[in-house]
Amino acid sequence: DGGITQSPKYLFRKEGQNVTLSCEQNLNHDAMYWYRQDPGQGLRLIYYSQIVNDFQKGDIAEGYSVSREKKESFPLTVTSAQKNPTAFYLCASSIGTGPQYFGPGTRLTVL
Amino acid sequence: GESVGLHLPTLSVQEGDNSIINCAYSNSASDYFIWYKQESGKGPQFIIDIRSNMDKRQGQRVTVLLNKTVKHLSLQIAATQPGDSAVYFCAENVVQGAQKLVFGQGTRLTINP
């Protein structure tokens, strides 16, 4: 997991609520990423950010929002517009053209 | 669009044998490939990477082979141990102005005693 932390480890959301997942890294990496993983499947990119105050949509950005106010932090908000939010959410970071390193993940369940 | 796939969803090997996990990719412009190991309930762990100007790279007990002619990637694990049991993902970096990884579905490796 390196120097990437995600919190909380487990999160429960009621329908209609927005929730925010935290991702922090102390690796001095410029780029950060959010992925979603459904059971038995690979990872799908939600949003990514290459530098502070800039971010781009990934393949499945609808119903999600992000911010990148600090280099170390890249929080993800799952909004009520995301109709099927139950999944395992993974944050990653990278520097230059090197590999992405992942955090331990947050498991989100809709009640 | 680009995609990364795997030949087999599951692989079962005897402890001590070598394991070979395969991956096919579709984007001939991809220049960087990564293998990750994911244990249950955890985030993916970086194993080894290779750039398109190479066809082989070795790490500790692992070797990655890249065949650009047939767009095929493989991960070889030598002397497989119980701790190698996990799901293995290959990821393809599609160069579209930013580092963007496309992941395959994953192969579950199980070790028989």
Side-chain angles (χ1 to χ4, degrees):
Chain A
D1 297 340
I4 303 174
T5 58
Q6 292 186 241
S7 62
K9 186 176 176 68
Y10 298 98
L11 185 58
F12 299 91
R13 190 194 94 170
K14 294 181 180 179
E15 289 194 17
Q17 279 185 335
N18 293 351
V19 292
T20 297
L21 284 59
S22 170
C23 177
E24 303 278 333
Q25 54 98 1
N26 62 2
L27 301 169
N28 199 34
H29 285 178
D30 294 308
M32 298 185 73
Y33 312 80
W34 273 106
Y35 293 88
R36 168 183 173 138
Q37 186 176 33
D38 291 287
Q41 297 189 30
L43 283 65
R44 292 183 290 166
L45 183 65
I46 305 173
Y47 267 99
Y48 62 104
S49 168
Q50 294 178 274
I51 56 172
V52 175
N53 293 322
D54 187 50
F55 49 83
Q56 288 80 38
K57 293 181 179 180
D59 299 319
I60 55 165
E62 184 175 353
Y64 300 98
S65 65
V66 294
S67 63
R68 186 85 186 278
E69 297 177 0
K70 298 187 299 182
K71 187 175 186 178
E72 302 79 21
S73 179
F74 191 40
L76 173 74
T77 296
V78 184
T79 75
S80 57
Q82 170 50 239
K83 297 307 178 186
N84 186 23
T86 295
F88 191 42
Y89 290 87
L90 290 156
C91 178
S93 69
S94 68
I95 186 166
T97 58
Q100 294 180 21
Y101 292 93
F102 285 83
T106 292
R107 189 166 299 280
L108 173 63
T109 303
V110 174
L111 301 175
Chain B
E2 65 276 359
S3 66
V4 179
L6 293 168
H7 294 304
L8 295 172
T10 60
L11 178 64
S12 184
V13 299
Q14 293 295 121
E15 183 177 349
D17 286 353
N18 296 337
S19 301
I20 300 176
I21 301 171
N22 296 303
C23 179
Y25 65 94
S26 60
N27 192 325
S28 57
S30 295
D31 66 350
Y32 181 48
F33 304 86
I34 309 173
W35 280 100
Y36 289 95
K37 172 186 180 182
Q38 186 177 29
E39 296 174 283
S40 182
K42 297 184 178 180
Q45 176 188 354
F46 169 77
I47 301 173
I48 193 167
D49 56 0
I50 189 167
R51 301 200 181 270
S52 59
N53 60 353
M54 302 173 68
D55 53 18
K56 180 179 180 180
R57 192 165 187 221
Q58 289 183 294
Q60 187 177 11
R61 280 202 309 120
V62 294
T63 300
V64 55
L65 299 177
L66 176 63
N67 185 330
K68 294 181 287 295
T69 302
V70 295
K71 291 187 282 189
H72 183 268
L73 190 70
S74 68
L75 176 70
Q76 300 179 5
I77 305 173
T80 310
Q81 303 169 358
D84 295 327
S85 293
V87 176
Y88 289 81
F89 292 97
C90 62
E92 171 187 12
N93 183 36
V94 179
V95 181
Q96 294 178 346
Q99 189 195 86
K100 179 183 174 185
L101 294 182
V102 174
F103 285 79
Q105 291 290 90
T107 292
R108 180 173 298 280
L109 178 64
T110 59
I111 314 303
N112 300 319

